[in-house]
Amino acid sequence: CFVRHRKRKRPLYLIPAMLLYLLSIGSKEMGVTLPLVFFLYDVLGRLPQTTGGAPSFSLRETGRAIPKTLRQHIYFYGAFFLCALCFSIYKIFIYPSSHQEGYYGGSVVVTMLTVGRILVHYIKLLLFPVTLVADYSYDAFPLAYSILEWRTFSAFVILLVLVLVLLKMLPRNRWITFAGAWFF
């Protein structure tokens, strides 16, 4: 509905887009990030399409597209981000879904280091879908306590290389960058 609205310029598609967004956050909390995906789509859609040869835009132009996109669609993004903010406040402060107190692993550093390894694990499963599991237990991934552990270090090197490749791809194919950013 969102893409059809952007392509056909019909406000009628915004109503089901908002309704489907509300249903998505009602079924899975990750749905709250959908306005960021919309925003990324709009920003990358503003960039000129390259046709062979050298790229016709830069990261600086991408940075300029951000405020232009916000100004042009202020009410659209205002409504979605307000909805996301209200939902986040509700889920964090009023009715938290998790009964866990504190961070996974005991600290924010251990949590972030472990998340890096988990992301690389998911990328590996995308490429080699063997040993798939429907639901991972709480301790399915060993905690990462230091960036100097070889698995943790290599995971962050892999993630850094992937981000750099996505940025390098931006002038050549903005939709590959969009797909990679959506994953992250």
Side-chain angles (χ1 to χ4, degrees), residues 65-183:
I66 292 171
K68 287 180 184 177
T69 301
L70 283 174
R71 279 193 302 272
Q72 183 178 1
H73 303 292
I74 188 74
Y75 296 114
F76 174 82
Y77 286 112
F80 274 94
F81 286 122
L82 181 63
C83 184
L85 178 66
C86 291
F87 177 77
S88 297
I89 289 170
Y90 174 76
K91 283 305 233 181
I92 293 170
F93 299 110
I94 299 171
Y95 188 75
S97 58
S98 174
H99 300 290
Q100 177 181 345
E101 297 197 14
Y103 289 100
Y104 176 72
S107 76
V108 69
V109 173
V110 172
T111 300
M112 291 299 114
L113 291 173
T114 306
V115 165
R117 287 179 57 183
I118 291 170
L119 279 173
V120 170
H121 177 74
Y122 283 147
I123 293 167
K124 182 183 86 174
L125 288 177
L126 279 172
L127 299 173
F128 308 104
V130 294
T131 65
L132 296 175
V133 178
D135 189 20
Y136 291 98
S137 67
Y138 180 74
D139 58 352
F141 293 96
L143 296 175
Y145 292 101
S146 170
I147 190 73
L148 299 177
E149 296 173 16
W150 75 271
R151 288 184 184 196
T152 306
F153 183 77
S154 61
F156 278 93
V157 167
I158 290 169
L159 292 174
L160 178 64
V161 168
L162 287 174
V163 168
L164 292 174
V165 166
L166 288 174
L167 289 174
K168 187 81 169 158
M169 288 299 300
L170 181 59
R172 290 167 181 75
N173 190 329
R174 61 185 166 196
W175 301 119
I176 289 176
T177 303
F178 174 77
W182 188 339
F183 171 82

Side-chain angles (χ1 to χ4, degrees), residues 51-69:
T51 54
S56 66
F57 64 93
S58 66
L59 288 176
R60 186 176 295 145
E61 285 185 53
T62 307
R64 284 191 285 244
I66 292 171
K68 287 180 184 177
T69 301

Side-chain angles (χ1 to χ4, degrees), residues 13-26:
Y13 289 111
L14 291 179
I15 295 167
M18 181 58 94
L19 178 63
L20 292 168
Y21 173 62
L22 293 173
L23 290 173
S24 77
I25 61 176

